[in-house]
Amino acid sequence: MTLVEKFKIVRSIGEECIHEDELMNLLAKKPYPVCYDGFEPSGRMHITQGVLKALNVNKLTSAGCKVKIWIADWFAQLNNKMRGDLKKIEVVGHYLIEIWKAVGMNLEGDQVDFLSRAHEYWPLVMDIARRNKLPRILRCCQIMGRSEQDELTAAQIFYPCMQCADTFFAKADICQLGMDQRKVNVLAREYCDDIKRKKQAYHIVPSYNDLFFILEFKLSVYLTNSSV
């Protein structure tokens, strides 16, 4: 597969890519880049989370990417999913993995890892928190499905810092996240500037096109208790 073909495949999953020249440069220098995605185990899976994620992962692995999918259990607890019960959150996480297998996510050849939350990254989380003012972190609340005007718990303030840290901790080359996650990816780029760290490929951000999400949201308004 040529470099241009790889670029077209990887770029095709995204509505936006922050600096496409970085993506092209990454693919030219690293034949098996690491792609990071994460999900918050929060209940029944909807169409975008299930089918679209499987399609995008398969595209990335076909282009030689190694995909790391984080089971964001602590994130779900902070966001009070499953009433903050980590055991229930873990069960939901395994349920979602089985659905991805069922819809055809390519798991052959050790190209996809499902990783639960690791503990060693807390110093990085704290450093990100220390280097940012509260208003800057609050602007990232959209990634939780919240707004700056919502009444947040103290724990939820850590959520953007944790997700920002994930990118570095996973040693990710590509962040495969939705457009609603864009602000935290920009936060990661700003963090690189702050610590004088070279912006390698860690912050190339192909993002899901939210058309499917919009359609399913409108349908779910009418189809209650559905996973449309």
Side-chain angles (χ1 to χ4, degrees):
M1 185 180 295
T2 68
L3 174 61
V4 173
E5 289 172 335
K6 279 189 174 184
F7 175 83
K8 287 181 177 179
I9 290 174
V10 175
R11 182 63 183 87
S12 71
I13 72 168
E15 181 176 345
E16 178 189 57
C17 177
I18 299 178
H19 299 304
E20 293 188 353
D21 57 323
E22 291 182 2
L23 177 57
M24 181 66 82
N25 187 52
L26 165 70
L27 296 174
K29 293 182 176 180
K30 191 170 184 178
Y32 305 107
V34 175
C35 177
Y36 151 75
D37 197 353
F39 70 96
E40 188 180 286
S42 57
R44 298 174 68 181
M45 182 179 283
H46 54 68
I47 292 174
T48 302
Q49 189 181 36
V51 178
L52 188 59
K53 188 187 291 286
L55 291 173
N56 283 345
V57 166
N58 289 351
K59 285 183 179 181
L60 289 166
T61 56
S62 73
C65 294
K66 171 78 171 182
V67 180
K68 292 185 177 181
I69 301 179
W70 291 88
I71 303 173
D73 47 2
W74 288 353
F75 290 78
Q77 185 185 48
L78 289 181
N79 221 1
N80 203 33
K81 299 300 174 65
M82 312 308 293
R83 297 185 178 180
D85 188 324
L86 277 174
K87 290 184 178 179
K88 291 181 179 178
I89 290 169
E90 182 180 356
V91 171
V92 173
H94 287 294
Y95 149 76
L96 297 179
I97 291 172
E98 292 304 315
I99 291 181
W100 282 320
K101 291 179 181 178
V103 298
M105 184 180 286
N106 179 18
L107 303 177
E108 297 180 0
D110 295 325
Q111 286 184 295
V112 178
D113 283 340
F114 291 99
L115 305 172
S116 60
R117 176 61 45 226
H119 298 272
E120 299 87 351
Y121 84 136
W122 277 107
L124 179 57
V125 174
M126 298 306 294
D127 191 53
I128 292 168
R130 184 177 64 84
R131 291 173 181 271
N132 286 278
K133 303 296 184 184
L134 182 59
R136 178 66 186 89
I137 298 301
L138 289 176
R139 290 204 302 272
C140 295
C141 289
Q142 180 185 7
I143 68 173
M144 297 183 286
R146 314 282 179 175
S147 73
E148 296 178 51
Q149 287 72 41
D150 288 347
E151 185 175 349
L152 302 174
T153 66
Q156 286 173 321
I157 302 299
F158 276 99
Y159 196 111
C161 300
M162 290 166 63
Q163 185 164 321
C164 180
D166 280 352
T167 307
F168 301 98
F169 190 76
K171 296 180 172 60
D173 299 305
I174 299 171
C175 296
Q176 181 199 352
L177 301 169
M179 284 296 291
D180 60 330
Q181 309 293 300
R182 187 183 192 279
K183 290 182 179 180
V184 79
N185 289 308
V186 174
L187 178 67
R189 294 181 68 92
E190 293 173 356
Y191 178 68
C192 281
D193 290 334
D194 194 24
I195 64 174
K196 304 298 188 291
R197 177 172 180 166
K198 181 182 178 182
K199 289 192 187 76
Q200 298 173 336
Y202 293 117
H203 314 296
I204 297 167
V205 190
S207 298
Y208 293 131
N209 188 312
D210 286 335
L211 174 61
F212 285 99
F213 176 81
I214 294 168
L215 289 174
E216 74 191 26
F217 174 77
K218 290 183 179 295
L219 285 171
S220 64
V221 170
Y222 301 100
L223 302 176
T224 56
N225 298 321
S226 76
S227 295
V228 175

